[in-house]
Amino acid sequence: MALDSRVLTPAQRYALVLVDLTVGFTDPQRSPLASSADAVVAANAQLLAAFRRRGWPVFFTTVAYDDPAQARVFREKLPVLNVLAADSPLVAIDPRLQPAADEPVLVKFWASAFFGTPLAELIRQSGADGVMVTGLTTSGCVRATAVDALQHDFRVLIPEQAVGDRDAQAHAANLRDLDLKYADVRSLEECLALVG
């Protein structure tokens, strides 16, 4: 039986949360975690420019470990995460998406951008009632962040072309499920139009 899923009323003000658009996830020549993400980066560049023009809040995340105790079970499950050492160039935001001085880069240890970070409070302080979640990867950190955004009572929007995954099937399945239960998945053009 199909769920009665509805389209959310648009937020009055969105915050843009760019999840893990770091070298470690965007440069497959340098990182085992990365996928071919040029189109995702380009879509995020468009959103970033639109949010900056509108003066709406922008937040970046990166995963960076400087202590073996951080997310130790997660890292046991996925040892490849250990390449994301705090002093590694892989944890830097992709140079095509350089944060402005007033755009925080939040360091996280787990999948969600909200877990163990001040992101929810920072979004509320910015006056936003909605979140556009973008970045990498759809089936992992993007999904966890979108679900947590909803659980913080934000209206969640996912620009389809601004997220990506190493696994095309996981990408498609997770976007379908997110759109059904936790967020509205819309085209980049529709999302840009909401920013104005």
Side-chain angles (χ1 to χ4, degrees), residues 14-21 44 47-48 51 56-62 93 97 104-106 108 111-114 117-120 122-124 126 128 130-136 141-146 148-149 154-159 162-163:
Y14 284 98
L16 180 62
V17 178
L18 300 98
V19 177
D20 300 349
L21 284 161
N44 275 276
L47 285 162
L48 198 51
F51 269 77
W56 280 0
V58 172
F59 303 93
F60 291 81
T61 73
T62 184
I93 302 299
L97 300 167
V105 179
L106 301 174
K108 64 187 183 69
S112 172
F114 289 91
T117 77
L119 180 59
L122 291 172
I123 292 172
R124 288 194 183 95
S126 77
V131 178
M132 281 196 201
V133 180
T134 69
L136 302 165
C141 297
V142 168
R143 180 188 177 92
T145 298
D148 271 5
F154 295 119
R155 298 178 179 278
V156 186
L157 200 56
I158 300 174
V163 295

Side-chain angles (χ1 to χ4, degrees), residues 55-109:
W56 280 0
V58 172
F59 303 93
F60 291 81
T61 73
T62 184
V63 178
Y65 300 112
D66 61 8
D67 185 325
Q70 292 163 341
R72 61 182 178 78
V73 177
F74 189 24
R75 292 161 75 184
E76 178 184 339
K77 179 68 178 172
L78 283 176
V80 70
L81 291 172
N82 290 314
V83 302
L84 301 176
D87 58 355
S88 167
L90 298 180
V91 305
I93 302 299
D94 187 294
R96 295 168 287 182
L97 300 167
Q98 274 305 302
D102 62 344
E103 295 168 352
V105 179
L106 301 174
V107 176
K108 64 187 183 69
F109 304 139

